[in-house]
């Protein structure tokens, strides 16, 4: 065969192969685009879980498609799965090599910051928001960033919890679905909203059908709540109808509640009522003064004060200050029109779930815009009708970085109920997907009476040493050349824990799904079995040391500090010292500083009664790769080997008699 023929044959073969590959790439893009369209349609309909499935299917064809990764984050944020939303948004940043990310996804940094706030990671959220302000030109996004930065400043200034016991009402009331609202009748009947559904098993898979909100009740006996049952008052619970927000007015023997349905991809709620008379409930009827097919009316509450009777409710009707506002209606005037509670209560955002506590003339409600810890917080204002004092946040632990709403007050500042999607044992996959009902009580003893008391683990130096405590890269005091720090290991640990999603995104960069999932599981295993376990073990060790010191013994603790190979030897030596000092600071601050006096009292041997011995190893024992380029240095931060090496070890706890 001639060289020309050979060359022509090769060229033809390459053209055929290239054509096949081009067709394959084209087909992959086509399939990915179709799944993306299906996901977009599901998002528009509010079917966020289904949208996430479509976007994930699209990623099987184009794994590094940043648009699909970003939309996975958007679906998770809409589902209130803040942990996974933060992961997907972090992945967009880490996978991106060429795009102007702010131009491609203008809301990325804002939504990443909002997810981080919900996850308690306010310092990182602050950084994302400032980055957004530098690069983003959209005036509305910039305004929202500034509001979130103001919220973070408020959180930092108010990061303290008042003495209050929060109790999850348990599995007789709460389950893996959402429970909403609470109304206590005659101090003994808890009425609330829960999800009713049917299950169908096909080919080993479980499917849920006929999913609707319905009204349930449970009897309360001190701290015990009986298993929930569906409320059987007349025909309030209508088949295949979403029913919620029940409030019973004992004076008029009337139950007010909400029916909701979808209309033009929008949820429309209407207030209905039924009256109990001569042993029977009347047929549910729409509450005519608020009948409106175009806007939602929900969360009705009847309040009597100063000889007047008013209904407070939430609505997005025109004439308000924002999205959902709180309004009131004079129940004694048949021609009365709803009145907005004014700008003291209502904002440009959402104000919902009002409750009026007559004894103290206090209005309680939830808002996602007044200064709070994240999502919806519960607020209080004193007044009546349209005159209100400045709103007051109920603070932690009633409020959290999650969504806290539906207040029901038994005794002002003492006892009440609320609804929250904070993580609980009922939420498995998406730890913030669903709401549970909680009770707060500021007069209960410090030791809880409902939770199961678990046998306390004891520390034994023979079996529990060494204790390894891990650090994020260049922590504490990044960039410092000093061997000392004022930082406590508690803060180092908390800040490191909040970076788990960033580590997952970095470790899974550019990998196919099976390898990416393996890396993600490795990161989860490290954070749970090494980072958290070490921190928990340190607390047990300090309890052991406290007992020894109180018994008159003297203690020496030997602490070794290690680093990865990322920095120079001299810098790493000082970094290892800072890590040891941060643990030393934590020991002095632990349990309200109970051990600090022992670090200052001298024993007969001329040493402090609680002595810490520093052994800064630095990177002398490091075996992790020594990065040279900037990219290698960035990647080395997230390597498993580097994560293992950035630690201190408490090698010895020795008694000196």
């Amino acid at each position: 065969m001639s060289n020309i023929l050979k060359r022509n044959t090769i060229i033809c073969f390459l053209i055929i192969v290239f054509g096949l590959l081009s067709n394959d790439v084209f087909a992959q893009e086509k399939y990915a685009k179709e799944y993306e369209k299906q996901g977009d349609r599901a998002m528009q309909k509010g079917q966020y879980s289904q949208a996430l499935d479509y976007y994930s299917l699209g990623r099987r064809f184009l794994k590094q498609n940043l648009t699909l990764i970003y939309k996975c984050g958007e679906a998770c944020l809409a589902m209130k799965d803040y942990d996974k939303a933060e992961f997907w948004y972090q992945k967009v940043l880490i996978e991106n090599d060429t795009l102007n990310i702010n131009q491609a996804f203008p809301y990325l940094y804002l939504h990443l910051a909002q997810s981080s706030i919900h996850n308690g990671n306010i310092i990182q959220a602050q950084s994302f928001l400032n980055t957004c302000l530098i690069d983003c030109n959209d005036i509305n996004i910039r305004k929202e960033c500034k509001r979130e930065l103001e919220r973070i400043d408020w959180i930092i200034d108010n990061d303290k919890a008042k003495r209050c016991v929060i109790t999850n009402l348990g599995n007789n009331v709460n389950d893996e679905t959402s429970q909403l609202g609470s109304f206590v009748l005659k101090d003994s009947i808890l009425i609330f909203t829960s999800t009713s559904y049917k299950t169908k098993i096909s080919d080993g898979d479980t499917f849920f059908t006929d999913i609707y909100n319905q009204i349930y009740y449970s009897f309360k006996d001190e701290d015990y709540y009986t298993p929930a049952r569906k409320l059987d008052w007349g025909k309030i619970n209508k088949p295949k109808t979403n029913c919620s927000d029940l409030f019973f007015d004992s004076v008029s023997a009337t139950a007010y509640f909400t029916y909701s349905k979808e209309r033009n991809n929008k949820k429309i709620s209407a207030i209905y009522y039924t009256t109990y008379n001569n042993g029977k409930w009347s047929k549910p009827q729409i509450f005519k003064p608020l009948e409106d097919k175009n806007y939602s009316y929900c969360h009705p509450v009847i309040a009597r004060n100063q000889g007047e009777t008013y209904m407070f409710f939430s609505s997005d009707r025109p004439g308000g200050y924002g999205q959902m506002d709180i309004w009131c209606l004079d129940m004694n005037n048949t021609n009365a029109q709803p009145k907005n509670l004014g700008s003291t209560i209502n904002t440009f955002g959402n104000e919902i779930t009002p409750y009026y506590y007559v004894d103290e003339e206090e209005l309680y409600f939830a808002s996602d815009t007044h200064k709070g810890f994240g999502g919806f917080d519960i607020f209080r204002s004193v007044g009546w009708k349209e005159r209100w004092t400045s709103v007051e946040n109920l603070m932690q632990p009633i409020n959290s970085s999650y969504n806290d709403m539906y207040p029901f007050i038994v005794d002002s500042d003492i006892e009440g109920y609320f609804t929250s999607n904070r993580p609980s044992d009922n939420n498995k996959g998406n730890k913030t997907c669903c709401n549970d009902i909680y009770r707060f009580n500021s007069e209960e003893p410090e030791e809880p009476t409902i939770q199961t008391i678990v046998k306390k683990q004891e520390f034994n130096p023979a079996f529990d040493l060494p204790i390894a405590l891990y650090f994020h890269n260049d922590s504490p005091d990044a960039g410092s050349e000093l061997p000392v720090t004022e930082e406590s290991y508690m803060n180092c640990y908390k800040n490191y824990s909040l970076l788990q999603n960033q580590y997952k995104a970095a470790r899974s960069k550019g990998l196919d799904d099976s390898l990416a999932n393996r890396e993600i599981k490795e990161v989860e295993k490290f954070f749970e079995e090494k980072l958290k376990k070490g921190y928990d073990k340190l607390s047990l060790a300090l309890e052991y040391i406290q007992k020894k010191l109180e018994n008159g013994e003297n203690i020496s603790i030997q602490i070794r500090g290690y680093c990865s190979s990322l920095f120079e030897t001299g810098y790493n030596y000082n970094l290892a010292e800072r890590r040891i000092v941060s643990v030393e600071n934590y020991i002095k601050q632990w349990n309200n500083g109970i051990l600090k006096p022992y670090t200052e009292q001298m024993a007969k041997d001329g040493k402090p009664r609680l002595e810490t011995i520093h052994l800064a190893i630095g990177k002398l024992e490091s075996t992790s790769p020594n990065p040279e380029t900037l990219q290698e240095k960035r990647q080395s931060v997230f390597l498993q080997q580097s994560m293992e090496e950035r630690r201190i070890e408490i090698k010895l706890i020795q008694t000196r008699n």
Side-chain angles (χ1 to χ4, degrees):
M1 185 182 291
S2 68
N3 289 334
I4 295 174
L5 185 58
K6 285 181 180 179
R7 188 172 64 210
N8 288 341
T9 303
I10 292 169
I11 291 170
C12 289
F13 175 74
L14 290 174
I15 290 172
I16 292 169
V17 170
F18 180 75
L20 290 172
L21 289 172
S22 299
N23 288 336
D24 187 47
V25 171
F26 177 76
Q28 288 177 339
E29 290 178 350
K30 182 180 177 181
Y31 289 137
K33 204 70 182 172
E34 189 56 39
Y35 279 121
E36 184 182 346
K37 287 179 182 176
Q38 294 291 342
D40 292 345
R41 291 191 191 103
M43 285 289 286
Q44 290 172 359
K45 294 178 181 178
Q47 299 166 346
Y48 307 123
S49 179
Q50 192 173 1
L52 179 60
D53 290 340
Y54 281 127
Y55 295 142
S56 299
L57 285 168
R59 287 192 63 251
R60 292 186 181 181
F61 297 96
L62 293 174
K63 289 180 174 52
Q64 272 67 59
N65 184 293
L66 293 184
T67 300
L68 285 170
I69 296 173
Y70 173 75
K71 288 184 175 181
C72 284
E74 294 287 273
C76 289
L77 183 63
M79 287 192 295
K80 300 182 178 65
D81 192 346
Y82 308 118
D83 188 53
K84 288 190 176 68
E86 185 183 358
F87 163 74
W88 287 113
Y89 293 138
Q90 288 273 18
K91 198 166 179 64
V92 174
L93 294 178
I94 286 171
E95 295 283 352
N96 176 56
D97 291 321
T98 57
L99 286 178
N100 180 332
I101 208 71
N102 241 339
Q103 189 175 347
F105 307 106
Y107 280 91
L108 172 64
Y109 280 109
L110 174 61
H111 288 178
L112 176 53
Q114 289 170 335
S115 301
S116 298
I117 291 171
H118 279 295
N119 292 329
N121 195 350
I122 59 172
I123 302 303
Q124 197 170 15
Q126 211 170 24
S127 173
F128 294 140
L129 292 167
N130 286 323
T131 301
C132 187
L133 285 174
I134 292 170
D135 296 334
C136 181
N137 296 320
D138 188 302
I139 188 65
N140 293 319
I141 295 175
R142 291 180 66 84
K143 282 182 179 178
E144 213 166 335
C145 283
K146 289 177 181 178
R147 285 195 292 267
E148 293 293 354
L149 283 169
E150 288 176 4
R151 182 206 294 267
I152 288 173
D153 289 339
W154 184 91
I155 292 172
I156 292 171
D157 291 341
N158 293 276
D159 189 20
K160 49 186 176 290
K162 61 182 182 181
R163 190 175 178 277
C164 183
V165 175
I166 305 296
T167 305
N168 186 299
L169 296 195
N171 291 337
N172 282 349
V173 172
N174 298 314
D175 59 25
E176 68 276 7
T177 65
S178 270
Q179 285 65 52
L180 298 170
S182 47
F183 173 77
V184 179
L185 182 62
K186 297 181 179 178
D187 297 326
S188 61
I189 305 174
L190 177 76
I191 300 173
F192 60 98
T193 304
S194 189
T195 306
S196 174
Y197 56 89
K198 294 179 181 178
T199 56
K200 179 182 177 182
I201 299 176
S202 177
D203 297 329
D205 294 324
T206 302
F207 298 92
F208 298 91
T209 61
D210 296 333
I211 305 170
Y212 296 99
N213 282 338
Q214 300 277 270
I215 306 296
Y216 284 74
Y217 72 95
S218 170
F219 288 108
K220 177 179 181 291
D221 181 12
E222 294 184 354
D223 289 329
Y224 177 77
Y225 296 84
T226 62
R229 293 184 177 183
K230 197 178 289 189
L231 192 71
D232 55 1
W233 290 2
K235 297 182 179 179
I236 291 177
N237 281 321
K238 253 165 61 171
K240 297 188 176 181
T241 303
N242 285 307
C243 182
S244 60
D245 307 335
L246 187 139
F247 180 91
F248 182 70
D249 177 31
S250 57
V251 175
S252 64
T254 302
Y256 296 89
F257 50 93
T258 300
Y259 284 150
S260 304
K261 58 184 176 182
E262 295 284 333
R263 183 181 290 126
N264 298 325
N265 292 331
K266 180 184 177 183
K267 181 181 176 182
I268 299 292
S269 301
I271 296 173
Y272 281 70
Y273 72 96
T274 177
T275 302
Y276 189 73
N277 190 20
N278 295 326
K280 292 183 179 180
W281 289 95
S282 65
K283 181 181 177 181
Q285 299 180 58
I286 194 166
F287 185 59
K288 287 286 186 183
L290 302 179
E291 185 176 9
D292 189 336
K293 293 182 179 179
N294 298 312
Y295 301 99
S296 283
Y297 296 78
C298 50
H299 315 136
V301 172
I302 301 298
R304 289 180 170 79
N305 190 28
Q306 303 175 12
E308 299 174 307
T309 303
Y310 272 77
M311 174 188 283
F312 293 93
F313 61 94
S314 306
S315 177
D316 60 353
R317 60 178 281 141
Y321 290 85
Q323 299 172 56
M324 293 290 288
D325 276 13
I326 298 177
W327 303 71
C328 65
L329 180 73
D330 187 348
M331 299 292 285
N332 295 327
N333 183 352
T334 55
N335 297 318
Q337 293 296 311
K339 294 181 180 180
N340 191 287
L341 265 56
S343 59
T344 301
I345 302 297
N346 294 312
T347 68
F348 60 85
N350 293 286
E351 280 68 47
I352 57 173
T353 64
Y355 179 77
Y356 193 78
Y357 185 63
V358 178
D359 292 2
E360 302 291 339
E361 295 189 330
E362 295 170 330
L363 177 73
Y364 292 80
F365 63 97
S367 171
D368 63 358
T369 309
H370 285 295
K371 294 283 176 26
F373 296 97
F376 281 96
D377 273 21
I378 298 173
F379 296 85
R380 168 173 57 192
S381 177
V382 178
W384 179 241
K385 294 191 294 189
E386 298 162 275
R387 298 173 64 89
W388 303 98
T389 61
S390 298
V391 300
E392 173 193 356
N393 189 298
L394 293 199
M395 307 304 284
Q396 297 172 328
I398 295 172
N399 288 319
S400 67
S401 61
Y402 304 97
N403 292 305
D404 308 293
M405 47 195 176
Y406 285 98
F408 179 86
I409 306 302
V410 177
D411 192 348
S412 178
D413 284 327
I414 302 290
E415 183 182 0
Y417 295 81
F418 66 97
T419 296
S420 177
N421 73 327
R422 61 189 66 187
S424 78
D425 292 338
N426 291 321
N427 303 335
K428 304 300 181 185
N430 176 358
K431 63 183 182 181
T432 53
C433 72
C434 306
N435 294 291
D436 279 0
I437 298 175
Y438 294 82
R439 187 185 73 211
F440 73 84
N441 195 315
S442 60
E443 286 195 332
E444 289 188 16
E446 288 189 10
E447 187 164 334
T449 56
I450 295 177
Q451 299 167 351
T452 303
I453 305 300
V454 180
K455 183 180 178 182
K456 200 166 188 180
Q457 188 179 349
E458 295 290 338
F459 179 82
N460 187 330
F463 301 107
D464 294 320
L465 290 177
I467 299 173
L469 305 173
Y470 297 88
F471 294 79
H472 177 52
N473 183 59
D474 204 12
S475 171
D477 299 346
S480 172
E481 300 284 348
L482 299 175
V484 293
T485 180
E486 294 182 1
E487 192 71 271
S488 162
Y489 179 68
M490 181 178 70
N491 292 329
C492 297
Y493 164 75
K494 286 183 177 179
N495 293 334
Y496 196 3
S497 299
L498 293 168
L499 297 177
Q500 185 172 162
N501 283 314
Q502 186 178 350
Y503 275 76
K504 289 179 184 178
R507 290 276 291 274
S508 61
K509 180 181 179 181
L511 301 178
D512 61 40
D513 287 351
S514 60
L515 291 174
N517 288 334
R518 189 171 71 184
E519 290 295 324
I520 288 169
K521 286 179 181 176
E522 282 292 323
V523 172
E524 289 175 344
K525 185 177 179 182
F526 172 85
F527 275 81
E528 182 62 31
E529 296 185 9
K530 295 204 170 182
L531 180 64
K532 183 179 182 300
K533 192 173 181 179
Y535 182 76
D536 292 341
K537 195 187 283 189
L538 176 60
S539 292
L540 293 175
L542 295 181
E543 289 177 8
Y544 167 85
I545 290 169
Q546 179 188 348
K547 290 177 184 175
K548 292 287 185 182
L549 292 167
E550 288 174 348
N551 287 335
E553 299 180 61
N554 305 317
I555 298 290
S556 293
I557 307 173
Q558 186 192 101
I559 308 177
R560 297 188 180 190
Y562 300 87
C563 301
S564 67
S565 60
L566 185 54
F567 298 107
E568 297 299 324
T569 301
Y571 183 89
N572 275 312
Y573 177 83
N574 287 338
L575 176 58
E577 274 289 343
R578 291 201 302 276
R579 288 174 175 167
I580 295 172
V581 172
S582 75
V583 176
E584 204 171 44
N585 293 340
Y586 175 71
I587 292 171
K588 293 175 182 177
Q589 295 169 12
W590 177 78
N591 196 12
N592 296 318
I594 198 167
L595 297 179
K596 186 179 179 182
Y598 296 105
T599 66
E600 299 167 347
Q601 295 173 8
M602 303 305 290
K604 291 181 179 179
D605 58 5
K607 300 175 182 178
R609 289 202 56 203
L610 177 56
E611 175 195 30
T612 52
I613 302 168
H614 297 207
L615 291 173
I617 308 298
K619 70 173 187 178
L620 295 178
E621 295 184 10
S622 171
T623 59
S624 58
N626 193 8
E628 296 180 359
T629 67
L630 180 61
Q631 186 175 1
E632 287 176 349
K633 289 179 180 179
R634 287 174 178 169
Q635 290 174 341
S636 72
V637 170
F638 304 100
L639 292 176
Q640 185 74 23
Q641 200 169 352
S642 299
M643 293 166 68
E644 304 270 2
E645 289 178 346
R646 297 194 302 260
R647 72 188 191 279
I648 67 95
E649 285 186 0
I650 297 178
K651 301 287 285 187
L652 180 70
I653 297 176
Q654 186 177 26
T655 301
R656 309 189 329 265
N657 292 324

